[in-house]
Amino acid sequence: MHKPTSSHLAAVTSWFEDNFRERGELGASVSIWQNGAEILALSSGNSDRARTRAWTSDTLVPVWSATKGPAAVCALMALDEANLPLDCPVAEVWPEFVGAGKAEMSFAHLFSHTAGLCALDERVSIMNYEAVVEALERQRPLWEPGMNQGYHARTFGFLMDEIVRRITGVETLGEYFREMIGSQMGLDFWIGLPTAQHERVATVYPGKISIADGDRPFLKAFSTSGTITQRTFSSPLGLNAVQDFNQPGTWQHGYASMGGVGSASGLGKFYAMLAQGGTWNGREIVPAAIVRLLSETLSEQDDLVLCTPAAFGAGVMKDPLLVNPGLPPEKLRQHYGPSLRAFGHPGAGGCLAFADPENQMSFAYTMNQMETGALPGPKCVGMIERLYCSPA
């Protein structure tokens, strides 16, 4: 087992501090856990550009797609409650989903981003939950399910939310998360933020795209009208500006794809529980079988939306592997550390949280000055490298 030494933690701290001096950080936190205890907690900077509010360990911030990890766990718990396997047809619990030839589409297709439902043909508002669900019911898959992989940036949350609602009878996935996990663990993380917590939320700011950034395949596709990338990130319609995520109405709504608000410590604690097999303080929060599903790769392909190789467990991301016949598996990148069992999810702008069950560790990073791109950048990756590698 990898046990970070004081030198490892000092190296992480140094990189974190350099982010403010050299990499344009405004406000940020890092939370690292091992064996159920927080072994490093860093917070610094400001919650707004005017520097009227200091950023502290209690600061909450929108975490965008890092919401998908907790959302996926909720849907997996609902399926477990109903004793339904991942290869079961979605229509088993959602009969109206059979439209446009989706009768045999399985839950595994949804969780692995291989369903072909990443972009909607109908123009519906992201704020109208019922309209989006009905559009998904009518939507014909953009490819034969399972044959391609394309990150379901926005529709994923609606798919997870509807599964939870259909099986459990709750009003929203966010409500289920709070009842089953958030309140049980006292997590500083919500999918649907209560009004009482609003004053703790930092202001988020968009990243700047440089000429070099514009050459990257994802950003080029993202900014080109009509591409599957551009269509995916703009359907359902609405909430396309960073400023939209500084609005209390957005925090309260509880979008399961990208509406989570919390602290680094809250996300770190959530993944620390998963890193311990789903238990917390001797109590089972998430069944161990679900944690195993998160660690297992369901799909690994050149992602049509992200324009890069990507791997998914059951609703979470993993590092893709290099193909070296006859040689042991080797990671293409290490956003989740060196362990092949590690999983988590990034959020737009560079935030990231993950679990490493092999080492019973978790890591979470939140910030309010966003970077460009869909995957973590150097501010975050530099800390992960130093957490696992021997300091020079």
Side-chain angles (χ1 to χ4, degrees):
M1 177 182 289
H2 174 66
K3 187 171 178 59
T5 64
S6 58
S7 295
H8 286 99
L9 300 183
V12 172
T13 301
S14 178
W15 190 272
F16 176 81
E17 293 171 347
D18 283 346
N19 282 342
F20 291 88
R21 291 188 290 264
E22 300 174 7
R23 303 179 193 99
E25 196 76 278
L26 178 59
S29 290
V30 171
S31 178
I32 300 172
W33 298 66
Q34 188 166 44
N35 300 320
E38 193 172 32
I39 61 172
L40 186 66
L42 303 172
S43 295
S44 188
N46 294 276
S47 293
D48 62 348
R49 282 182 178 164
R51 290 173 165 76
T52 62
R53 294 186 294 150
W55 181 294
T56 71
S57 60
D58 292 327
T59 297
L60 307 178
V61 68
V63 298
W64 310 83
S65 285
T67 312
K68 288 184 172 74
V73 169
C74 287
L76 290 168
M77 290 174 70
L79 290 175
D80 183 72
E81 182 180 319
N83 199 29
L84 292 171
L86 282 184
D87 60 4
C88 177
V90 178
E92 185 79 16
V93 299
W94 185 355
E96 300 88 341
F97 191 75
V98 299
K102 299 194 296 297
E104 301 303 317
M105 186 179 289
S106 71
F107 292 109
H109 292 132
L110 305 188
F111 281 94
S112 61
H113 297 263
T114 61
L117 300 175
C118 55
L120 297 172
D121 294 328
E122 295 182 40
R123 294 176 59 83
V124 292
S125 170
I126 196 169
M127 300 176 192
N128 188 335
Y129 180 88
E130 289 75 18
V132 175
V133 167
E134 290 172 4
L136 283 166
E137 291 169 357
R138 293 187 289 265
Q139 179 66 42
R140 183 170 298 281
L142 303 183
W143 58 79
E144 182 181 342
M147 296 303 294
N148 288 306
Q149 175 187 294
Y151 179 52
H152 289 42
R154 293 178 154 228
T155 57
F156 182 85
F158 290 90
L159 294 164
M160 297 296 107
D161 209 328
E162 189 65 11
I163 289 169
V164 171
R165 296 186 194 201
R166 295 263 175 168
I167 294 174
T168 69
V170 298
E171 290 191 12
T172 68
L173 181 149
E175 176 187 310
Y176 183 81
F177 172 80
R178 203 67 214 164
E179 176 187 343
M180 302 299 291
I181 302 175
S183 293
Q184 302 286 339
M185 296 180 63
L187 292 184
D188 241 3
F189 181 81
W190 291 263
I191 305 174
L193 188 70
T195 305
Q197 306 295 336
H198 287 189
E199 64 182 17
R200 300 171 58 195
V201 183
T203 303
V204 290
Y205 298 94
K208 296 178 180 178
I209 299 179
S210 70
I211 293 174
D213 287 335
D215 291 335
R216 286 193 266 169
F218 169 77
L219 288 167
K220 182 177 180 181
F222 180 81
S223 60
T224 301
S225 179
T227 63
I228 191 170
T229 302
Q230 194 274 338
R231 291 179 58 206
T232 292
F233 280 87
S234 59
S235 69
L237 299 168
L239 299 183
N240 290 116
V242 170
Q243 178 59 32
D244 293 332
F245 287 81
N246 290 322
Q247 305 304 317
T250 304
W251 309 335
Q252 288 177 298
H253 197 284
Y255 298 97
S257 263
M258 55 186 188
V261 180
S263 66
S265 180
L267 273 174
K269 190 176 182 182
F270 168 75
Y271 279 103
M273 173 268 295
L274 296 177
Q276 294 191 125
T279 63
W280 194 253
N281 292 335
R283 294 177 52 222
E284 181 183 86
I285 303 294
V286 176
I290 288 178
V291 180
R292 288 194 292 272
L293 282 176
L294 297 169
S295 283
E296 295 170 3
T297 300
L298 287 180
S299 178
E300 181 174 341
Q301 301 181 38
D302 287 331
D303 195 281
L304 299 180
V305 173
L306 297 175
C307 305
T308 189
F312 291 98
V316 290
M317 278 196 182
K318 295 170 61 65
D319 288 317
L321 303 179
L322 291 168
V323 179
N324 294 309
L327 296 176
E330 181 182 350
K331 287 190 171 188
L332 178 64
R333 49 181 179 259
Q334 292 195 12
H335 290 168
Y336 307 103
S339 173
L340 298 177
R341 293 173 56 198
F343 59 84
H345 216 288
C351 60
L352 177 69
F354 70 84
D356 175 357
E358 182 178 336
N359 296 297
Q360 294 190 20
M361 286 175 56
S362 71
F363 172 96
Y365 162 71
T366 60
M367 79 295 140
N368 60 342
Q369 177 53 67
M370 300 173 67
E371 299 171 312
T372 57
L375 298 176
K379 290 192 297 183
C380 177
V381 174
M383 289 186 285
I384 297 166
E385 290 172 347
R386 280 148 186 80
L387 177 63
Y388 283 95
C389 297
S390 298

